[in-house]
Amino acid sequence: MAVLIKNADITIYNKYYDLFSELYKYQRTVIKGVNWQAKRNGTVSDKGLLIADSTIVFIDKLDNYISPKRFAKLQPLDREKYFTIGVDDKIVKSEVDFEVIGFKPYSISDLEKEFDDVITIKSVTELSGHFEVEGV
């Protein structure tokens, strides 16, 4: 089943290891028409009120998706044709053209400072027609 209510576009940043430069880099992919659900959870304990924000993003399965392990093995020219959804990858709510190249002013921390809705993927559940991606 496909995502029913599409309320956002996202930009996903897939982390990969570049053998040539021997550095971790990020590939940017824009995905249109996802369902973005942000929520704030509160718990009262003996230590007081604990607040935690979380987000669930529902993403339709697309033809250019491949698994994180297959994505990691791709050659640079092949990698540009695909995206993945992996734990610790970043998602920005909206279409952005910010390229992460690893150093100021284009690092992951600069991405998080520049845009409001940036999450880190913590879990991915693959269902029949879509993915449920949870992040914080």
Side-chain angles (χ1 to χ4, degrees), residues 1-14:
M1 182 165 64
V3 175
L4 296 177
I5 300 171
K6 297 178 180 183
N7 63 1
D9 297 331
I10 61 170
T11 305
I12 187 166
Y13 290 85
N14 295 129

Side-chain angles (χ1 to χ4, degrees), residues 62-80:
L62 301 171
D63 292 339
N64 60 336
Y65 169 83
I66 61 172
S67 72
K69 288 181 181 179
R70 286 185 55 207
F71 184 83
K73 295 175 185 176
L74 291 174
Q75 296 299 315
L77 290 176
D78 292 329
R79 186 178 297 115
E80 294 173 2

Side-chain angles (χ1 to χ4, degrees), residues 19-88:
L19 293 173
F20 181 74
S21 66
E22 297 182 342
L23 297 171
Y24 282 100
K25 294 187 175 184
Y26 288 85
Q27 176 176 296
R28 178 178 63 89
T29 303
V30 173
I31 301 172
K32 296 188 176 279
V34 304
N35 181 269
W36 180 282
Q37 297 181 15
K39 62 182 177 177
R40 176 167 279 180
N41 298 313
T43 306
V44 178
S45 72
D46 59 342
K47 297 180 181 175
L49 178 63
L50 302 172
I51 304 280
D53 294 326
S54 66
T55 302
I56 297 178
V57 183
F58 298 90
I59 304 171
D60 283 332
K61 286 188 176 177
L62 301 171
D63 292 339
N64 60 336
Y65 169 83
I66 61 172
S67 72
K69 288 181 181 179
R70 286 185 55 207
F71 184 83
K73 295 175 185 176
L74 291 174
Q75 296 299 315
L77 290 176
D78 292 329
R79 186 178 297 115
E80 294 173 2
K81 301 173 193 171
Y82 299 97
F83 79 97
T84 192
I85 306 170
V87 173
D88 292 331

Side-chain angles (χ1 to χ4, degrees), residues 1-3 58-61 125-132:
M1 182 165 64
V3 175
F58 298 90
I59 304 171
D60 283 332
K61 286 188 176 177
T125 303
E126 183 175 353
L127 300 170
S128 61
H130 67 277
F131 296 94
E132 290 183 13

